[in-house]
Amino acid sequence: MRDFFTGVRLFGRGLGILLRSPRLLLIGMLPAALTTVLLAGGMIALVYWIGDLTALITPFADEWAEVWRIAMRVAAGVALVGVALVLGLTGFTALALAIGGPFYEHIAEKVEDDLGGPPSEEDLSWWWLLWVGLRDGVVLMLRSLLFTLPLSVAGFIPVVGQTVVPVLMALVTAWFFALELVAVSFYRRGMDLKQRRELLGERRSLALGLGLPASLLCAVPLLAIVVMPVAFVGGVLVSAEVLRSTDTAAVGS
């Protein structure tokens, strides 16, 4: 639990850093705002076409009694929207980081310089950040589906679906959200998704402490525009913590 609260504290510290540097906050808000518009458009389209989509995925209910057919399709619609929200939160970070790669790299450089961190080992171009950010984002979204789809189905189980499942869904979302938030700091050190996942997995509670408040706040419409740069700076701080403890362990061994 100590690591979890450290993650929450570093998320809050990210807010403090940006309040002292409004220019960095504005830089981080620009790609987040564009991403919010894109994903909001997609969610509006999903809700608009939800009736057709639920009918498409539940053809077996066509011959059911009307009350059961409607109940099944309402449940399918709720599940679709739930999965879309989880994927949207995971995809939001990946897309924002990909679109605003140079912006977030600039923020990471400024924050790490203030921390006295090591210089970047990689010269990251915008095109490279766009490609690798989208690629890793797709990989993480596909991995998240392995958890979110079964949990969405489990959401229909009485009691468990209304108590345990939302908590597990929040934790899954927080984990994948945190993996995205630390991405740029790891890219700057020439470390790929596999290394990021392994190192952060050793400090999973720390990652959840960052990802949980960030993902919950980003689920609030429009608030994500401000939360994203704050969460990103928190991710830079978490990355520094993880990499510092890894370097210390390596020296000790």
Side-chain angles (χ1 to χ4, degrees), residues 26-223:
L26 180 60
I27 289 172
M29 288 173 61
L30 291 175
L34 177 57
T35 304
T36 298
V37 171
L38 292 174
L39 292 182
M43 187 60 67
I44 290 170
L46 173 65
V47 172
Y48 182 80
W49 296 104
I50 196 69
D52 293 331
L53 288 172
T54 54
L56 183 65
I57 64 175
T58 59
F60 52 85
D62 288 344
E63 305 302 323
W64 291 10
E66 184 177 5
V67 63
W68 295 113
R69 183 173 66 252
I70 292 174
M72 169 56 69
R73 287 177 175 168
V74 167
V78 171
L80 277 175
V81 171
V83 171
L85 285 173
V86 173
L87 292 180
L89 283 172
T90 306
F92 172 80
T93 318
L95 189 56
L97 292 175
I99 292 174
F103 297 96
Y104 289 116
E105 187 190 4
H106 174 73
I107 294 172
E109 182 179 1
K110 291 295 184 182
V111 174
E112 289 177 352
D113 285 347
D114 289 343
L115 293 174
S120 170
E121 296 179 3
E122 298 287 325
D123 183 17
L124 307 179
S125 69
W126 183 81
W127 287 108
W128 186 89
L129 282 170
L130 177 63
W131 155 245
V132 78
L134 291 175
R135 182 198 66 190
D136 289 352
V138 169
V139 170
L140 288 175
M141 281 194 290
L142 292 176
R143 286 180 178 273
S144 72
L145 283 174
L146 298 176
F147 299 92
T148 55
L149 287 179
L151 286 173
S152 296
V153 174
F156 298 112
I157 301 174
V159 182
V160 173
Q162 292 73 49
T163 54
V164 177
V165 170
V167 173
L168 293 178
M169 190 75 83
L171 292 175
V172 168
T173 305
W175 166 246
F176 286 102
F177 207 72
L179 279 173
E180 291 286 6
L181 290 172
V182 303
V184 173
S185 293
F186 278 77
Y187 292 153
R188 281 167 49 81
R189 290 165 175 79
M191 303 175 79
D192 59 16
L193 175 59
K194 181 180 178 181
Q195 293 169 298
R196 191 196 329 165
R197 194 173 65 247
E198 289 174 352
L199 290 176
L200 212 62
E202 296 173 2
R203 303 286 299 276
R204 194 175 297 270
S205 294
L206 179 67
L208 292 176
L210 168 69
L212 190 59
S215 59
L216 291 177
L217 290 172
C218 278
V220 180
L222 299 182
L223 190 58

